């Protein structure tokens, strides 16, 4: 999958811009707050996702204007496609190859992309919730039924929590229906655990190779699923009554504590993903460069798995990735990611000097200009 052209009108601080990227690495550089990330954000919107910056669409319209418009032309393995994305005052108009779409969710699977932003460092640096969110979002892209199970699980979890609070107040008289909720949690929680273990096993294999490339194979990166219910001895491969019963037993064993805390203490909503560099916790002992490398390796690994399932090469969007990375790791991003179209934003033009091939774009005050790589290398900017 390749972007062949991107046109923007009144998007953020960009009044008008047209970008013709290459099929390999595209570096977008400029000082802070000039509009670099806006280009990546517009591409991400076209994949059907919400802003990775947490913004509402009304905040993306250029000041003083009424609407923004994105025009995206891209190629998949079958054909060239054209997407028009227009938003005004909370009203959105989407056209794919001239055919109106009812919602942004219909873009899912049409234009595939994976994004890394500085906020994704939370996957490594913060608590388990950030890592679970990463896993849930990544698996949902390739297994839509997973998102359905997760939604159902959270609904039952909420019902069980309400019942626990009632038991805490009224005693066992309110516990009659608890086993019903436990049975549902055990069934869905077991299925979700198997999905996560399977995905993480595959992600570990590809992201370890990416991280090895980052470090010149001087450091070893590993991933492991940490379940609050199942142990290393449990083969989370086949959905079985034995696994479901183990999940139910874990809920029974923690009931007394659950009633006291008025919440469910065990289950997939408490699980984690352990990341290690050279056998040590990346969160506790990793340097800033190692932590950034871990997060980027996960994202590139996500793109590789998405390609394996869909047969399409997702576009990789890397926002502000160069900081905290040494020259060897920067070289990997600029020259060693093969078979993917990549967009990289950075503040320093020095990164572009290490590019073997690709295209370079400068952004200043919302104005986008392509600069020939030869001109950068000659120092004639």
């Amino acid at each position: 999958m390749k972007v062949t052209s991107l046109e923007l009108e009144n998007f953020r601080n960009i009044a008008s811009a047209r970008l013709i990227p290459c099929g390999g690495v595209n570096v977008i550089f400029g000082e802070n707050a000039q509009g670099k990330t806006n280009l990546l954000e517009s591409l991400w919107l076209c994949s059907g996702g919400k802003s990775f910056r947490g913004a509402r669409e009304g905040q993306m319209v250029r000041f003083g204007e009424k609407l923004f418009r994105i025009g995206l032309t891209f190629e998949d393995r079958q054909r060239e496609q054209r997407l028009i994305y227009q938003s005004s005052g909370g009203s959105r108009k989407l056209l794919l190859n001239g055919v109106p779409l009812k919602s942004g969710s219909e873009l899912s699977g049409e234009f595939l992309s994976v994004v890394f932003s500085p906020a994704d460092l939370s996957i490594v640096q913060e608590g388990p919730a950030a890592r679970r969110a990463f896993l849930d979002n990544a698996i949902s892209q390739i297994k839509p039924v997973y998102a359905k199970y997760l939604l159902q699980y959270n609904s039952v979890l909420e019902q069980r929590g309400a019942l626990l609070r009632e038991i805490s107040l009224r005693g066992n008289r309110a516990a009659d229906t608890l086993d019903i909720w436990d049975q549902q949690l055990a069934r869905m929680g077991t299925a979700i655990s198997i999905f996560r273990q399977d995905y993480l096993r595959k992600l570990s294999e590809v992201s370890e190779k990416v991280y090895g490339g980052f470090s010149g194979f001087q450091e070893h990166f590993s991933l492991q699923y940490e379940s609050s219910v199942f142990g290393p001895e449990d083969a989370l491969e086949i959905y079985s009554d034995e696994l479901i019963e183990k999940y139910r037993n874990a809920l029974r064993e923690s009931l007394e504590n659950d009633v006291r805390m008025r919440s469910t203490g065990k289950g997939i909503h408490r699980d984690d993903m352990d990341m290690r560099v050279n056998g040590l916790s990346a969160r506790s002992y990793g340097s800033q460069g190692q932590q950034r490398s871990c997060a980027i390796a996960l994202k590139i690994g996500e793109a590789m798995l998405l390609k394996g399932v869909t047969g399409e090469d997702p576009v990789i969007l890397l926002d502000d990735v160069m900081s905290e990375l040494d020259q060897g790791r920067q070289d990997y991003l600029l020259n060693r990611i093969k078979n993917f179209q990549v967009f990289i934003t950075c503040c320093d033009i020095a990164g572009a000097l290490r590019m073997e091939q690709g295209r370079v774009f400068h952004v200043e005050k919302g104005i986008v200009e392509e600069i020939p790589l030869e001109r950068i290398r000659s120092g004639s900017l």
Side-chain angles (χ1 to χ4, degrees), residues 125-377:
Q125 296 174 342
E126 296 184 8
R131 289 180 284 281
R132 288 194 299 269
F134 164 73
L135 273 179
D136 292 340
N137 291 333
I139 299 171
S140 295
Q141 282 195 82
I142 59 176
K143 300 281 187 180
V145 70
Y146 178 86
K148 180 181 177 181
Y149 287 157
L150 194 63
L151 186 64
Q152 292 174 343
Y153 179 92
N154 288 330
S155 177
V156 174
L157 183 66
E158 185 177 342
Q159 295 290 340
R160 188 179 193 267
L163 184 56
L164 289 172
R165 291 188 289 273
E166 190 174 353
I167 293 172
S168 178
L169 294 172
R170 297 173 53 193
N172 289 336
R173 290 177 299 168
D176 296 343
T177 59
L178 187 64
D179 194 58
I180 297 174
W181 299 124
D182 285 1
Q183 176 70 11
Q184 293 186 55
L185 278 185
R187 288 185 177 279
M188 287 181 286
T190 299
I192 290 168
S193 297
I194 293 172
F195 272 116
R196 285 180 175 175
Q197 177 71 300
D198 178 67
Y199 184 83
L200 201 56
R201 189 183 299 115
K202 296 171 182 175
L203 180 64
S204 178
E205 182 179 344
V206 293
S207 59
E208 283 176 21
K209 293 178 181 178
V210 173
Y211 191 96
F214 265 138
S215 64
F217 297 95
Q218 299 301 305
E219 298 173 0
H220 176 67
F221 175 61
S222 63
L223 290 172
Q224 186 172 346
Y225 185 43
E226 291 189 331
S227 172
S228 61
V229 172
F230 302 109
E233 73 281 1
D234 296 307
L236 293 176
E237 297 176 355
I238 300 175
Y239 188 71
S240 67
D241 290 338
E242 289 77 15
L243 290 177
I244 294 170
E245 188 59 26
K246 182 162 187 176
Y247 203 113
R248 288 185 70 186
N249 286 336
L251 292 173
R252 293 189 191 105
E253 291 169 2
S254 66
L255 179 58
E256 183 178 342
N257 186 64
D258 288 354
V259 171
R260 184 170 60 253
M261 300 302 295
R262 301 184 182 185
S263 65
T264 303
K266 288 190 176 181
I268 58 102
H269 59 289
R270 301 290 187 185
D271 294 352
D272 200 356
M273 178 174 68
D274 184 41
M275 282 177 280
R276 292 181 176 269
V277 175
N278 295 334
L280 299 176
S281 166
R283 180 188 182 192
S284 301
Y285 300 104
S287 67
Q288 290 186 356
Q290 287 174 326
Q291 290 178 343
R292 186 172 289 261
S293 297
C294 288
I296 297 170
L298 290 176
K299 287 291 184 174
I300 296 176
E302 178 187 352
M304 291 178 172
L305 292 185
L306 191 57
K307 174 183 178 179
V309 171
T310 65
E312 294 286 352
D313 309 315
V315 176
I316 298 177
L317 311 174
L318 302 175
D319 185 34
D320 189 21
V321 291
M322 295 301 194
S323 59
E324 311 295 345
L325 296 182
D326 57 35
Q327 289 189 10
R329 295 172 202 252
Q330 290 184 16
D331 177 74
Y332 182 90
L333 292 178
L334 292 167
N335 301 309
R336 304 290 174 256
I337 302 178
K338 304 300 183 182
N339 303 319
F340 290 95
Q341 185 181 44
V342 184
F343 293 82
I344 299 176
T345 68
C346 59
C347 294
D348 191 351
I349 196 175
L353 291 171
R354 289 189 287 276
M355 291 177 66
E356 294 173 1
Q357 56 185 351
R359 289 186 181 171
V360 182
F361 301 88
H362 179 242
V363 182
E364 184 175 3
K365 296 181 180 179
I367 298 174
V368 183
E369 177 190 9
E370 181 179 357
I371 300 177
L373 195 54
E374 295 76 14
R375 181 181 164 194
I376 294 174
R377 288 171 177 163

